[in-house]
Amino acid sequence: MGSDRRAILFCPPLAPVELESDSRVAIGRGRDCELPLFSDSASRRHAEVYPHTLRPGDRIGIGANVITFCRVESSLSGFLSDPAGHETMVFARAVAREVFRGELAEMPIFVVLQMLEMGHKSGELEVTTDAGVVHLWLGDGQPLHAASEKAQGMDAAMAIVGTTRGSFRFVANVETPARTLQVSMTELLLEASRQLDEARR
C-alpha cells in the first residue's frame, strides 16, 4: 500500500476500520473482532480480511451487513473513527474549511455520501467526471440542492449518485443555495439504486 493512501473497511452505521499493511482484520460477533457485527447471521469470528487481496469498492456481505473496502488519503487519518470507536467521524476537528477528497475508484460515491450523512456535514460536494462537474450541497448530512451545467435538482443529484469514475472534493461550511431537494440521503441512494436496477433490465 502506498504511503499516501490508507485502506479502510466501512459498514454503516459502524465506524470505519483502518487496515494496516500486512495485518488481518477479524469480522464477527466476538468482542475480540476489529469490526464487530451485531447480527445473528455472523459467527463470533466470521471472517478475516487481508488488505492486499481487495480492490477499492469491493464489498463483503455477511447477513444484512455490507462492508465496503476503500482507500483514503493519509492526510485524512483523523476522520476514521472516534477514540472509543463508537461512531463515524468524517472529520477530526472543526475547521472553517474542512476538505475531504479522493478518487471514486478508491472510494465509491455511495460510501462518500454515507460518510457525509453520518458525520452530519454541511457544505459542498463537487464530483468531477469525463462528462463534467456536478455539485451537491448538504445541510446536516442531507441533500439540499444539486447542479451541473446540464441539470438542476433531482436530475443533477442522480447524476452524482450514478457516478463510478472520477474524483470528489467536499468543502465544509460553505454557503448553500436554497433547498430544492426534498429527499433524505437514504431516499436519494435508494432511488439511485432503483434506477440502476431498472436500467440493467
Side-chain angles (χ1 to χ4, degrees):
M1 255 176 262
S3 61
D4 61 335
R5 299 277 182 204
R6 293 191 177 185
I8 64 169
L9 293 175
F10 183 60
C11 182
L14 302 172
V17 173
E18 186 172 354
L19 299 169
E20 296 296 329
S21 188
D22 299 323
S23 69
R24 297 174 185 231
V25 171
I27 302 170
R29 288 185 307 171
R31 291 182 182 163
D32 62 334
C33 291
E34 288 83 7
L35 185 57
L37 300 178
F38 307 102
S39 169
D40 292 338
S41 301
S43 60
R44 282 188 305 231
R45 196 167 181 92
H46 196 91
E48 286 187 345
V49 174
Y50 306 84
H52 66 275
T53 62
L54 296 173
R55 293 185 317 263
D58 282 353
R59 296 183 192 179
I60 302 164
I62 299 176
N65 299 288
V66 178
I67 304 161
T68 305
F69 176 74
C70 306
R71 290 191 188 262
V72 297
E73 293 181 17
S74 292
S75 62
L76 300 173
S77 61
F79 89 91
L80 294 176
S81 65
D82 69 353
H86 297 301
E87 62 182 78
T88 298
M89 293 175 57
V90 177
F91 302 92
R93 52 191 139 99
V95 177
R97 295 275 205 177
E98 300 166 305
V99 177
F100 173 45
R101 65 177 149 245
E103 297 294 321
L104 295 175
E106 297 182 350
M107 181 176 278
I109 193 66
F110 74 89
V111 172
V112 173
L113 293 172
Q114 287 177 322
M115 286 182 155
L116 294 172
E117 177 187 29
M118 291 171 64
H120 299 275
K121 292 299 167 188
S122 297
E124 178 186 5
L125 176 65
E126 177 183 278
V127 177
T128 304
T129 68
D130 292 340
V133 179
V134 185
H135 304 268
L136 176 66
W137 286 269
L138 304 171
D140 196 31
Q142 298 304 312
L144 299 176
H145 178 69
S148 69
E149 288 182 13
K150 300 175 184 174
Q152 296 271 334
M154 193 64 163
D155 289 339
M158 294 309 292
I160 282 183
V161 178
T163 302
T164 58
R165 290 182 294 182
S167 61
F168 67 89
R169 179 176 175 260
F170 179 80
V171 179
N173 305 319
V174 299
E175 189 172 326
T176 58
R179 184 172 200 157
T180 60
L181 297 171
Q182 303 302 318
V183 295
S184 68
M185 187 66 77
T186 300
E187 290 168 326
L188 180 64
L189 291 169
L190 288 172
E191 177 60 17
S193 179
R194 185 190 68 75
Q195 287 186 17
L196 287 171
D197 286 346
E198 284 183 4
R200 290 182 187 136
R201 292 182 190 169

